[in-house]
Amino acid sequence: MIRLTSITRVFRMGDQEVRALNGVNLDIASGEYVSIMGPSGSGKSTLLNVVGLLDRPDSGRYELDGSDVTDLSETERARVRREKIGFVFQSFHLVPRLTAAENIELPLMLEGIAPAERKSRVDAALDAFDLKDRARHRPAELSGGQRQRVAIARATILRPTALLADEPTGNLDHRIGAEVMALLEGLHHAGTTLIVVTHDRELGARAHRHIAMRDGEIVGDEK
Amino acid sequence: MNLRDTLTLSFSTVVSYRTRSLLIVLAMALGVAAVVVLTALGEGARRYVVGQFSSLGTNLVIVLPGRAETSGGFPGAALGQTPRDLTLDDALFISHLPQVKRYAPLNVGVAELSAGGKLREVTVLGSTSELLPIRHMKLSQGSFLAHGSERSAQIVLGSVLAHEFFPDGNAVGQRVRLGDSRFMVSGVLAVQGESMGFNSDEIAIIPVDYAQELFNTNTLFRILVEARSRNAIEPAKAAIAHALKLRHDGEEDVTVITQDAILATFDRILRALTLGVAGIAAISLAVAGILVMNVMLVAVAQRTSEIGLLKALGAPAADIRRLFFAEAVWLSLAGGAIGYALGNAGAWMIRLAYPTLPAWPPAWASMAGVATALITGILASLLPAARAARLDPVLALSGK
Ligand SMILES: Nc1ncnc2c1ncn2[C@@H]1O[C@H](COP(=O)(O)OP(=O)(O)OP(=O)(O)O)[C@@H](O)[C@H]1O
Ligand SMILES: [Mg+2]
């Protein structure tokens, strides 16, 4: 469960202030499938970063799964990210010198899981995301769709409660993008909360709840 | 993230940034190798000099005629007198001093040696049986001048001389002629090579009485004295100077020098030189450290978005700091090990090229070289690692 109360995030550029989030209130229940849409610069990514504990709001309150996470220390925020949040990015963000399998393994390593268990979990993920024959390939040798599948496998290997995707199909062509969305929706069906930021109306419409943003404020929220 | 994963992950990073890593390892290795080679050279020079001196004898006190002092000059010279000579009686007199273990009078001259139709000029030492132990000489054949047999016409030949005159190697027992006198070869010196510019392979040694007769003199060139112990060197020196002053009617007309004082001075100078040289080499390691820091800072900048990703995946700052830190450890370890190997190879080549120079790197220098590489590498990584750990995840992800 995600509960944002009066969240404000202000960026200062010289003496200019940008209110990227301006008093945002938002409740998202566990297992929801939400799309966030809005013009460029409306604060979608900032909202996602705050929800994912990558960014700190300047004011307001954030409650995640019943506990207040607004004022957690940096180390605690890292732990919550590791345990509860999965990120999927437009530009995949794979480590170029690691193979597909090694990229998927990273969160398990950070979590300190033993190598034997890591291997079986990575193998299972490679299977589930149809990447078996690409396990030993580096990102440069993978297609865009394959890269995003590796990124999704990595984001979900620790079974997060919420999956945050910021324009996950932005770098993919329409057909591959639809495949990736289907994959994410599969994870949603398995119980994960799914929040997708997108510019694509068609893809956005597939969500069960549609949030519209403008100038750092939520201007529409319909199911 | 546990230690093992940190080490393996950072190792694979080091390996995959091949050029960058090679550059750092090379800089480190050259610094360490410089420390090892230069200290090996310095230490080799020190050992060479010390070896040269101690091959002359241990606890050695040398008495020579005349006052080798710049202040005042010869006391007698001012009065138009020649300083008194050293004699065999002087030698015998000081041999009774309690600090003196043994002594050998020494006469030096040049004479013509002939045997079996061959003839050549040789340097002749006149001395006693005690010369052998005092000067640490060794025999390859026969025996040295017999003890107390100063009146028997024996001769000991240097190895080169023995070979020239008796190529069959049967020198012992043969008769030779030195000047107008006949001598019997009692022994042959082992090969000693050059020592302090004096080649003992081409000398002949005869009893001191014969030498004085041969050179028509009753004075001595030197008296070599071996003190009872290292601690007895200075007392022996004082006692000898005092005794001879008394014997010479209160005139200080001899000079007593100790091998030890000269040796200690050389030892000190050369040790200081080695240290200085090691210090200079260590500076190249510090330069390598600065290089490491710069390259690591560039690496942090290059991998900003990767650091952001690790943070998004939930890596705490400590993990990221440790990853960069571990990279520096790997690089410095490799640099230290390769430099150590290179340095030892260099020292080995120096020893091959100059066999007389015992250019072994001292253990402390090798250790200090490798340790300095590790410490500089690790220190140099602290700032970049801290910078990486401090990055704001959102900005880092966007590569800013
Ligand atoms: N680090 C920053 N420093 C200064 N201003 C920022 C920073 N991050 C975001 N902003 C500003 O905050 C506002 C919201 O940015 P945000 O990235 O959330 O928009 P967005 O809705 O994701 O846009 P897009 O669709 O283009 O990705 C923008 O005006 C942006 O310029
Ligand atoms: Mg955005």
Side-chain angles (χ1 to χ4, degrees), chain A residues 4 18 21 30-31 34 40 47 66 79-80 113 126 130 142 168 204 210 214:
Chain A
L4 300 179
V18 180
L21 294 177
S30 286
V34 182
S40 184
L47 178 63
R79 184 180 49 75
V80 175
I113 290 170
L126 286 166
D130 197 20
L142 299 175
H210 317 280
R214 181 185 301 269

Side-chain angles (χ1 to χ4, degrees), chain A residues 49 54-55 74-75 78-79 81-82 87 89 93-98 106-107 109-110 112-113 115 118 154, chain B residues 1-2 4-5 8-9 12-13 16-17 303 305-306 309-316 319 392-394 397-398:
Chain A
N49 290 336
L54 277 182
D55 205 356
E74 213 30 72
T75 314
R79 184 180 49 75
R81 277 202 296 272
R82 201 162 62 228
F87 281 100
F89 305 97
H93 276 300
L94 300 180
V95 180
R97 52 180 189 287
L98 298 182
L106 266 179
M109 246 191 208
L110 292 173
I113 290 170
R118 286 203 311 243
R154 185 179 61 189
Chain B
M1 196 166 193
N2 64 34
R4 226 190 94 166
D5 289 333
T8 41
L9 194 59
S12 77
T13 308
S16 58
Y17 287 98
R303 302 217 301 264
S305 90
E306 185 184 317
L309 167 82
L310 285 173
K311 293 200 157 194
L313 292 179
D319 278 8
D392 175 76
V394 176
L397 271 170
S398 60

Side-chain angles (χ1 to χ4, degrees), chain A residues 11 13 18 20 38-46 167 199, chain B residues 395:
Chain A
F11 293 106
M13 303 278 281
V18 180
S40 184
S42 57
K44 307 182 295 292
S45 297
T46 307
E167 302 189 34
H199 276 124
Chain B
L395 290 179

Side-chain angles (χ1 to χ4, degrees), chain A residues 188-201:
Chain A
H188 155 66
H189 283 302
T192 313
T193 310
L194 179 60
I195 306 175
V196 182
V197 168
T198 181
H199 276 124
D200 188 322
R201 288 187 182 288

Side-chain angles (χ1 to χ4, degrees), chain B residues 160-184:
Chain B
V160 169
L161 283 187
H163 186 74
E164 270 179 27
F165 282 86
F166 306 102
D168 299 341
N170 56 348
V172 174
Q174 302 277 359
R175 299 196 169 276
V176 298
R177 180 175 281 277
L178 192 62
D180 293 329
S181 318
R182 292 166 71 78
F183 289 84
M184 195 184 76

Side-chain angles (χ1 to χ4, degrees), chain A residues 118-171:
Chain A
R118 286 203 311 243
K119 189 175 175 339
S120 69
R121 280 172 78 166
V122 169
D123 283 346
L126 286 166
D127 245 351
F129 291 90
D130 197 20
L131 287 163
K132 228 169 177 179
D133 50 345
R134 291 285 178 274
R136 300 179 151 279
H137 290 236
R138 286 176 208 285
E141 302 154 3
L142 299 175
S143 72
Q146 287 167 340
R147 286 183 211 179
Q148 197 58 301
R149 292 214 300 273
V150 171
I152 294 169
R154 185 179 61 189
T156 53
I157 191 94
L158 281 176
R159 302 191 194 98
T161 51
L163 195 54
L164 313 182
D166 195 344
E167 302 189 34
T169 62
N171 280 2

